[in-house]
Amino acid sequence: PGAPLGSRAPAAAAMVVFGVSEYTQYDSGSSKGSRKFSLGDSGTCIRNFVLEDCIGGMLELFAVIFRLRGSVIPKATVFALPSTALAVGCHYVNRSHAVVPEHYAENTTLWSTFTFILGVLIVFRTNQGYSRYWEGATLLMQVRGEWLNAASSLFAFCTPEPSLRTDVVKFQHQLVRLMSMLYCSALQQVALVSDSRMEIISSSGLDDSSIQFLMQSQERCDVLLQWIRRLIVLNMRTNVIPVPPPILTRVFQELSRGIVNAKDVQKIAEFPFPFPYTQLIFVMLVFQSLLTPVVAALSSNDPLWASVVTFISVFSLWSMNFIAAELEQPFGEDFNDLPIPDMMREMNERLRAMLQDKVQSPPDFQFNVDTVDCNFSNCQACGYISAKKWVEGFQKSKSRGLDWTSGSNAARALYNRHRTPSDLNMYLSPSGNSILSGQVQAQSEHRSAFSGSQAPSSDALMAMTSGSLTPPLAGRTAPRGFE
């Protein structure tokens, strides 16, 4: 107030910088009122571009560069720094005492050939490690998909007869418990994960003698698979599963494909990368870490340049080798390994969801041949809210929680674009009713969470995931662990 900017251009620039959509300017020494400036749609786009894409992108870049969790940079630096110091020392010794003649110092063909061969070996190991990583992830997802599909088919095949309702419920509960134990056993065969982090659906109700026999068995997957097959056959005879055998054969095929994929995963866990390759790469890396400083010191007139060349060369090769080692065995508890406990938890959640009556019963449909249509409808308008998981970066379940410094473009976008109370109108339900009591407060807490350093309350998180804050984030990503 009292300091007119003089034109709309500097006013718009100031509004973009400070992140406001409109402001009121009071004329100095006058009582005629005020003038209101607004950015409009184009100005808002500029502001969002500056705040979200430029500043947010830079912050995200620095967060990725300087993050230590799951990084191989510290380990590679441990080997690169001594080589760098050795390069500086060799440079001063050679310049002071002329230990090596210049015509020898200029011949670096042998070192170049050696480094090229080492690079080829490391690239080969990295490619193999990358293939093993994604093959393991793909096979574990296929195992879960096959067995979930088999369980879903068995639930659909169950008889609707009221007289057999108790037998059907017993069969379904027994099936989900055995399926959960089967998938857990398949993961335990390959994963080096503590049993305290693995979860199964409670085995209560199963007889103790069978559980004790299972615990003593060395091939639990085979035992559990046989129990499930036998359970299906017995319930087919009692008409709990009244479907023709040719149709039921599909279930046995899915169970078989799942166990074949589970056995296929074991080759990755039990057969490591060939030892001769690993040994040769490590020996050559050690020689390269010792030869590079000498060659750089002899071929360079500047000690700084010799140290830079040495650090980059040694650091790069050791980093690639450590990356390959991280990818070769993806079934542990390291930060870059596959989220085995999460995969087990998701399997249990899907099995438990099948037990709900609403899942087993298709929705009623009021059909009128004269009035029914097949027109398209906007998902937000008809209340079909997206249920996508928000996954970004390499955040694991072991850290849980939200990462407010990296991968939160969607959160910043929501804060920047929907910060005014009038924007709450877009969160009305499809029927026109206002949002539930308490969600306005959750919206306010949500804004304050992204504008400050505090984390949002549980009510704010519930509002985000329940659908009231979902429409602005359609098609975007946010950190893992948002559940």
Side-chain angles (χ1 to χ4, degrees):
L5 296 178
S7 67
R8 286 183 176 269
M15 295 164 70
V16 167
V17 171
F18 292 102
V20 295
S21 57
E22 68 178 28
Y23 82 102
T24 303
Q25 175 184 313
Y26 296 92
D27 293 335
S28 177
S30 175
S31 60
K32 294 182 180 180
S34 60
R35 292 183 296 168
K36 181 174 290 187
F37 291 88
S38 177
L39 281 177
D41 294 337
S42 60
T44 303
C45 292
I46 296 175
R47 184 198 67 201
N48 291 337
F49 170 76
V50 172
L51 293 180
E52 298 171 29
D53 298 332
C54 296
I55 299 178
M58 291 177 60
L59 293 176
E60 198 166 336
L61 175 64
F62 284 111
V64 171
I65 292 176
F66 294 103
R67 189 175 68 182
L68 297 180
R69 298 189 63 188
S71 174
V72 299
I73 291 179
K75 293 186 288 186
T77 304
V78 170
F79 290 90
L81 289 179
S83 297
T84 304
L86 181 60
V88 176
C90 291
H91 182 276
Y92 282 112
V93 169
N94 187 61
R95 291 306 175 209
S96 301
H97 303 286
V99 178
V100 180
E102 290 188 6
H103 65 278
Y104 286 110
E106 294 176 356
N107 189 5
T108 60
T109 304
L110 180 62
W111 174 83
S112 300
T113 304
F114 180 85
T115 303
F116 174 77
I117 296 174
L118 176 59
V120 170
L121 290 176
I122 292 179
V123 169
F124 173 74
R125 185 185 183 187
T126 303
N127 289 335
Q128 293 298 313
Y130 188 79
S131 300
R132 289 164 63 91
Y133 183 93
W134 282 114
E135 184 181 6
T138 302
L139 290 174
L140 288 180
M141 295 298 291
Q142 289 178 349
V143 170
R144 189 176 71 180
E146 296 284 359
W147 288 344
L148 275 176
N149 199 29
S152 177
S153 298
L154 290 173
F155 272 69
F157 294 160
C158 290
T159 179
E161 293 293 332
S163 59
L164 297 175
R165 175 61 179 171
T166 302
D167 295 333
V168 169
V169 173
K170 176 186 175 182
F171 164 73
Q172 292 175 349
H173 277 265
Q174 188 175 0
L175 178 65
V176 297
R177 282 162 172 77
L178 294 178
M179 278 291 188
S180 176
M181 297 168 66
L182 176 62
Y183 191 62
C184 182
S185 298
L187 293 179
Q188 287 176 331
Q189 286 183 349
V190 298
L192 302 175
V193 179
S194 173
D195 291 338
S196 60
R197 299 189 59 210
M198 302 291 287
E199 299 176 352
I200 62 172
I201 297 178
S202 175
S203 60
S204 60
L206 300 177
D207 62 283
D208 296 335
S209 60
S210 298
I211 298 298
Q212 185 177 4
F213 171 78
L214 181 65
M215 293 299 101
Q216 296 174 353
S217 175
Q218 297 296 324
E219 297 294 338
R220 297 180 185 178
C221 284
D222 297 334
V223 174
L224 287 164
L225 185 63
Q226 187 64 24
W227 285 355
I228 293 173
R229 287 170 172 167
R230 188 59 181 169
L231 178 67
I232 295 172
V233 173
L234 293 177
N235 282 272
M236 182 179 64
R237 292 180 177 178
T238 58
N239 289 327
V240 172
I241 309 177
V243 296
I247 297 178
L248 194 59
T249 303
R250 178 73 177 181
V251 174
F252 290 101
Q253 292 175 353
E254 291 170 339
L255 291 173
S256 300
R257 286 197 298 266
I259 195 64
V260 169
N261 289 331
K263 297 298 183 182
D264 204 14
V265 178
Q266 287 186 254
K267 74 178 182 182
I268 300 177
E270 296 180 359
F271 303 113
F273 187 75
F275 172 74
Y277 275 105
T278 305
Q279 184 185 41
L280 180 61
I281 288 174
F282 272 105
V283 170
M284 294 184 68
L285 278 172
V286 172
F287 276 107
Q288 199 266 350
S289 301
L290 297 175
L291 291 176
T292 300
V294 176
V295 174
L298 297 179
S299 60
S300 176
N301 295 324
D302 186 4
L304 178 61
W305 179 246
S307 62
V308 170
V309 171
T310 301
F311 182 86
I312 293 176
S313 177
V314 176
F315 176 82
S316 301
L317 292 175
W318 278 103
S319 296
M320 291 296 295
N321 186 63
F322 284 127
I323 291 174
E326 289 278 341
L327 297 177
E328 284 174 2
Q329 289 293 341
F331 306 119
E333 293 186 295
D334 294 337
F335 191 79
N336 295 314
D337 290 336
L338 296 175
I340 300 296
D342 278 353
M343 299 174 72
M344 186 68 241
R345 188 178 300 109
E346 291 173 3
M347 176 71 167
N348 293 333
E349 290 173 354
R350 283 162 173 75
L351 289 172
R352 188 168 57 179
M354 294 181 188
L355 296 172
Q356 302 177 19
D357 292 337
K358 286 294 185 180
V359 176
Q360 300 183 35
S361 302
D364 293 333
F365 179 59
Q366 303 298 327
F367 181 76
N368 189 328
V369 68
D370 297 326
T371 60
V372 72
D373 57 31
C374 284
N375 298 328
F376 298 110
S377 179
N378 183 274
C379 291
Q380 182 177 345
C382 66
Y384 194 76
I385 305 302
S386 173
K388 297 187 182 74
K389 288 185 177 181
W390 294 356
V391 179
E392 182 168 314
F394 297 92
Q395 190 145 344
K396 297 290 184 175
S397 63
K398 61 189 72 173
S399 60
R400 305 307 291 175
L402 295 174
D403 183 4
W404 301 106
T405 62
S406 175
S408 55
N409 281 337
R412 287 193 293 271
L414 180 61
Y415 168 66
N416 290 330
R417 296 178 181 175
H418 306 285
R419 64 173 74 186
T420 60
S422 60
D423 291 329
L424 288 176
N425 293 330
M426 71 179 300
Y427 298 115
L428 297 178
S429 64
S431 60
N433 299 326
S434 61
I435 56 181
L436 299 177
S437 174
Q439 291 182 352
V440 175
Q441 177 66 22
Q443 167 79 357
S444 176
E445 294 179 4
H446 167 65
R447 290 197 211 102
S448 64
F450 288 111
S451 61
S453 59
Q454 62 176 348
S457 66
S458 58
D459 293 336
L461 291 178
M462 288 298 296
M464 293 181 209
T465 55
S466 63
S468 60
L469 300 182
T470 303
L473 298 180
R476 291 179 173 265
T477 57
R480 184 172 186 165
F482 224 77
E483 64 271 21

